[in-house]
Amino acid sequence: MKQNVFLVVVCAILMALAPGTLFAQSIKIDKKYGNVSKAELEMTVYPLDTSAVALYLYKEVNYSVEIDPGGFAFIKKERERVKILKEAGKEYGDYEEFYSTESTAGESISGIKVTTYNLENGSVVATKMSKDYVFREDYTDAVKRVAFSAQNVKVGSVIETEYTYRTRLWNIDDIFFQFSIPVNWATAEVAVPEYLKVNRISRGFENLEHKMEERVLMNYRVFADKFACYDIPAIRDEKFLYDIDQYRLSVLYQIRSFEIPGIYYKDYTADWQNVDQMIVESNIVRGIKATTRFKDEVAGIAASDRTDEEKIVAIRNLVASRVTWDKKNRLVPGNAAEVVKNGSGSRADLNALTGSALRAAGFDVKPVMVRMRSNGNLVPFHVSLDAYDTFILQVTGPGGQTYYLDAAPSDGYLNVLSDNFLVEKARLLSLDGQGSWVDLRHLCKNIYLASATVRVDAEGLMTGEISEKMFNNLSQTVKRAYGKASDQEEFVDENIEKDHNLTVDRFTISGSDEYTPQVQMAYSFEKQQEVAGDMMYVNLFLLNFHDPSTFKEEVRRVPVDFMYPYRINYTVNMIIPEGYELEELPKPAAYKAQGIKSQAFVQFRQADVNVVSMSFSFVLDSYFAPTEAYKDVRAWYEMLTSMYNTTLVLKKKAV
């Protein structure tokens, strides 16, 4: 259910989905409600995915637009039949839906019917859900939640559900055909009267049959899109993935225009300049243009002899000291006086207050509209105010240097934005409404520097000191991890000792709670090395920078989203234990990845008879790897893991 009226939509591109030749569903079923067969109930595993905890035997969505005295009513009827294959799949017997209670929305959910089928003594037994198991409650002031559950659900059950959603809001929900469990057979129909013109966009990597049908209803024509798909594999959340929905097999509809020939015409197409103007007329720009709430303090900062960067940071810190971020992301800021009085506000509130303060200090400030990576990529030809989640600031000082600033989080800095905000297309607006696209992905260089000095005794016990420095987004990642830990001991245990198999002592950290672009850690450690007879095997990769289990699955159905590009420089100096000598020095090795922009280099040197050093560098310069490059990415991580296992061989000196 979507609550917002469709404000502006994509300009005229009607994408035809060419019908394909597909096989019928692997499991033959009768889709009529109640016609559940013994074969469906006797089924214990889905042959195409034996790991599946449940399976959609059949899933159907029928969308229609009816005309009545009140205008248009958008009606969606949903029906599904799901097979429970494992204990974890029983959760698919629980449902929840939402609808608006605002009178103008005219929304309702009705006709809820749920039946559970089980095989008992060779017979199909149906258990119908009692209406007492349908619960309606206020979710917010304007939204109602409907929850209901199937009864008598067991491993082996088949659950059949149907209900109807009705709204007067001019919007057609996205139609999905792919889920976290596989789909045997799914169909959908979207029937729209001739008075409405719509655009249709398809997403996903699987085959989807499509055909169009025209029919006459009363005195007007209806155009129906009919879809079908079969044997659709599950698509699940993966590591290095921000938004799975944009990769699911699905169809998106957008209303383009409404016309009664010769009587009325309304064009809903728009361009980004229309949206820019709407933002200029909203509280987003009004908030930035408003008189600052911290006039005297800002004037003092502006009059100081600090650099532009120092002034921006000081003003940001001033606002953050008066208004705490409530961790909410909103598009439009609220009333500034109330926000300051309450001492708490959303990201939009903090950025609007900071923007107005920076303008008062003589800086040029512009809003930058952002759609977060976790909500999918912004589609340039899908024109809508709903495309944005929130905004940040572009700040230019009298000296001409430009910075990007999100004032809300304390772990960021100038040009150091959350990885969720590092998008290729964000919308930069001047305060008079002129907009342009900007790329937020390359605002800073993310660098990790580490060095270690180590000693090994005759029994193979390695001790030493390690220093780590993280800059920009890498420092932000460490700050987040440190902030989530209950105390320093937990942070060290979870992020150093367990990750690197070290025993840590005398740990110090600086910059973790400061508004700076860097963090530094230092600590002493010990780690046992392998000793076998006269031989000792020493691994100088004390820090492993890539988890070998990250891409353990052989097949991945979605692309890889990396957080951000970064560079690693790691050096180690080891004093050879007394009585030992180096058997062999590993040769230098340089590696370059396929499928992504990444490379690594490692080199060992023997400075003198008592000291061995290792230098390692790594560069990742990609944000994205397509699905077809997954094998290369997986192989790259496996290669890095093997590199980290490189050992020095020491041998006892002959007496």
Side-chain angles (χ1 to χ4, degrees), residues 33-34 36 78-82 84 90-97 109-118 125-136 146-154 157-164:
Y33 195 100
V36 176
E78 291 207 42
R79 184 156 68 87
E80 67 181 42
R81 185 183 297 176
V82 62
I84 308 303
K90 290 167 68 174
E91 67 180 34
Y92 287 89
D94 299 324
Y95 304 84
E96 68 174 9
E97 296 293 333
I109 292 178
S110 61
I112 299 172
K113 184 164 66 171
V114 182
T115 307
T116 306
Y117 303 89
N118 288 296
V125 177
T127 304
K128 295 183 178 180
M129 182 193 70
S130 167
K131 292 183 178 180
D132 294 337
Y133 287 88
V134 178
F135 303 96
R136 297 177 187 265
V146 183
F148 48 97
S149 299
Q151 275 76 71
N152 199 26
V153 177
K154 309 171 185 177
S157 297
V158 170
I159 304 168
E160 204 159 28
T161 307
E162 70 175 25
Y163 63 89
T164 299

Side-chain angles (χ1 to χ4, degrees), residues 314-372:
I315 289 173
R316 179 269 162 196
N317 290 342
L318 166 66
V319 175
S321 70
R322 302 293 181 85
V323 180
T324 303
W325 182 31
D326 61 12
K327 307 301 181 184
K328 294 179 180 178
N329 294 315
R330 291 199 175 98
L331 179 63
V332 180
N335 181 277
E338 293 182 4
V339 170
V340 174
K341 179 180 178 181
N342 294 333
S344 177
S346 68
R347 174 178 261 118
D349 293 324
L350 268 293
N351 282 324
L353 288 168
T354 303
S356 68
L358 288 168
R359 288 188 77 242
F363 291 90
D364 179 44
V365 181
K366 299 174 182 177
V368 182
M369 310 306 298
V370 178
R371 180 181 183 85
M372 295 187 292

Side-chain angles (χ1 to χ4, degrees), residues 153-384:
V153 177
K154 309 171 185 177
V155 174
S157 297
V158 170
I159 304 168
E160 204 159 28
T161 307
E162 70 175 25
Y163 63 89
T164 299
Y165 162 66
R166 183 184 182 95
T167 181
R168 289 197 178 279
L169 299 182
W170 283 39
N171 188 69
I172 299 175
D173 288 346
D174 300 345
I175 299 174
F176 289 93
F177 299 91
Q178 194 171 24
F179 308 91
S180 58
I181 59 174
V183 176
N184 175 58
W185 180 21
T187 65
E189 178 178 300
V190 179
V192 179
E194 60 180 312
Y195 307 115
L196 288 178
K197 299 297 186 294
V198 298
N199 294 322
R200 175 175 14 92
I201 302 171
S202 63
R203 298 186 301 191
F205 306 111
E206 305 299 327
N207 290 323
L208 182 65
E209 285 185 346
H210 171 250
K211 63 181 180 179
M212 295 188 69
E213 181 180 285
E214 180 181 339
R215 50 182 179 256
V216 177
L217 182 63
M218 298 179 66
N219 61 345
Y220 61 90
R221 292 178 302 167
V222 170
F223 297 95
D225 285 321
K226 306 187 80 164
F227 304 96
C229 57
Y230 313 94
D231 299 336
I232 303 301
I235 183 169
R236 304 180 180 94
D237 271 324
E238 303 270 7
K239 292 180 179 179
F240 290 92
L241 181 66
Y242 280 85
D243 176 47
I244 194 171
D245 282 348
Q246 65 184 330
Y247 303 118
R248 297 184 193 274
L249 183 63
S250 56
V251 179
L252 286 64
Y253 277 84
Q254 301 159 338
I255 299 172
R256 187 170 80 244
S257 64
F258 169 56
E259 179 181 15
I260 301 177
I263 299 176
Y264 181 81
Y265 177 80
K266 174 68 173 177
D267 187 353
Y268 287 91
T269 60
D271 56 30
W272 289 109
Q273 284 71 36
N274 300 131
V275 179
D276 295 344
Q277 193 57 43
M278 295 173 65
I279 295 171
V280 169
E281 296 169 359
S282 74
N283 278 345
I284 295 173
V285 169
R286 282 197 291 266
I288 294 173
K289 284 184 173 181
T291 302
T292 181
R293 299 281 162 176
F294 316 104
K295 185 177 180 180
D296 293 339
E297 297 95 325
V298 168
I301 295 171
S304 68
D305 59 358
R306 304 178 192 183
T307 65
D308 286 352
E309 179 176 337
E310 291 170 339
K311 289 179 181 179
I312 295 170
V313 170
I315 289 173
R316 179 269 162 196
N317 290 342
L318 166 66
V319 175
S321 70
R322 302 293 181 85
V323 180
T324 303
W325 182 31
D326 61 12
K327 307 301 181 184
K328 294 179 180 178
N329 294 315
R330 291 199 175 98
L331 179 63
V332 180
N335 181 277
E338 293 182 4
V339 170
V340 174
K341 179 180 178 181
N342 294 333
S344 177
S346 68
R347 174 178 261 118
D349 293 324
L350 268 293
N351 282 324
L353 288 168
T354 303
S356 68
L358 288 168
R359 288 188 77 242
F363 291 90
D364 179 44
V365 181
K366 299 174 182 177
V368 182
M369 310 306 298
V370 178
R371 180 181 183 85
M372 295 187 292
R373 296 168 75 183
S374 57
N375 286 330
N377 295 329
L378 186 149
V379 181
F381 53 81
H382 180 178
V383 185
S384 172

